[in-house]
Amino acid sequence: MTVFRLVVVSAGLSKPSSTRLLADRLTESTVRQLSDSGRQIDVTVVELRDLATEIANNFVTGFPGAALRAAIEAVTGADAVIAVTPIFTASYSGLFKSFFDLVDHDALTGKPVLIAATGGTPRHSLALEHAVRPLFSYLRAVVVPTAVYAATDDWGAAGDGLTDGLPGRIDRAAGELAALLAGRGPAAPVLPEQVVPFAEQLAALRA
């Protein structure tokens, strides 16, 4: 049976955190919807809170620690990514951005990504569209259409008949991610790029 590799990146700072809770709800819905179609999924959760010191050290030394290296390799080797950040000052957290600054710019090309965020007020919901989505578009990921924002008042609230409410948005976004995964199959292993010596390139031009 085909096994999909899903990596969940949570940038919550507290423990427990609403950011991790939202990440877990999105993961559960994605796994459920893929399982309903007979597919199996392997989930890896990356808690950036636990990697904060290694991320800072990497910027100073240029070398990742073992745990950070494993997290980056998990993201680059995933078939899909769920990325969830708290919103601070109308944008993603510094920890969230710093982690993805360390991921190779080509590693997420064509990879399905579901973006989500948490915040204290609904006024910050547009940060997903003017900050988080452009970040992953720059990395050439395939970002699902529905981005999920959860304000404090969204937890436990039902839809009003005109909107889905948080559970409905979670299921819709997870369904979009599951559909992308089901349609593309698991990612092939990334092969190292072959480097052609400069002298050989010059010889080919002269021929």
Side-chain angles (χ1 to χ4, degrees):
M1 178 182 290
T2 298
V3 179
F4 293 101
R5 295 161 294 174
L6 174 65
V7 173
V8 183
V9 179
S10 171
L13 297 180
S14 59
K15 197 169 185 177
S17 73
S18 59
T19 301
R20 176 60 189 270
L21 178 59
L22 180 57
D24 289 344
R25 295 281 177 85
L26 290 163
T27 303
E28 291 164 5
S29 184
T30 303
V31 170
R32 184 181 70 251
Q33 294 187 57
L34 279 169
S35 298
D36 289 346
S37 61
R39 291 170 171 85
Q40 187 175 347
I41 189 161
D42 177 64
V43 178
T44 300
V45 178
V46 175
E47 278 276 16
L48 297 187
R49 176 181 181 274
D50 299 333
L51 299 172
T53 301
E54 288 196 28
I55 290 171
N57 286 341
N58 193 149
F59 280 104
V60 175
T61 66
F63 297 99
L68 177 58
R69 184 184 303 109
I72 293 172
E73 289 175 353
V75 169
T76 58
D79 294 304
V81 174
I82 295 175
V84 191
T85 178
I87 298 300
F88 297 134
T89 320
S91 189
Y92 37 62
S93 73
L95 182 61
F96 183 84
K97 178 62 162 58
S98 295
F99 175 75
F100 283 101
D101 279 345
L102 299 178
V103 175
D104 186 272
H105 287 179
D106 295 323
L108 298 184
T109 300
K111 197 182 299 294
V113 175
L114 191 167
I115 58 172
T118 57
T121 169
R123 291 195 301 271
H124 293 309
S125 61
L126 287 178
L128 276 166
E129 300 302 330
H130 69 62
V132 184
R133 190 180 295 276
L135 168 65
F136 287 99
S137 295
Y138 173 78
L139 296 173
R140 298 193 295 278
V142 179
V143 186
V144 302
T146 301
V148 181
Y149 180 81
T152 301
D153 292 342
D154 285 325
W155 296 104
D160 57 9
L162 298 175
T163 58
D164 288 341
L166 181 58
R169 297 198 301 274
I170 287 172
D171 284 342
R172 185 168 69 246
E176 292 166 357
L177 184 64
L180 277 175
L181 271 171
R184 63 187 277 120
V190 178
L191 299 177
E193 183 179 357
Q194 183 178 4
V195 179
V196 179
F198 184 64
E200 188 175 326
Q201 297 180 45
L202 277 179
L205 289 173
R206 292 168 180 163

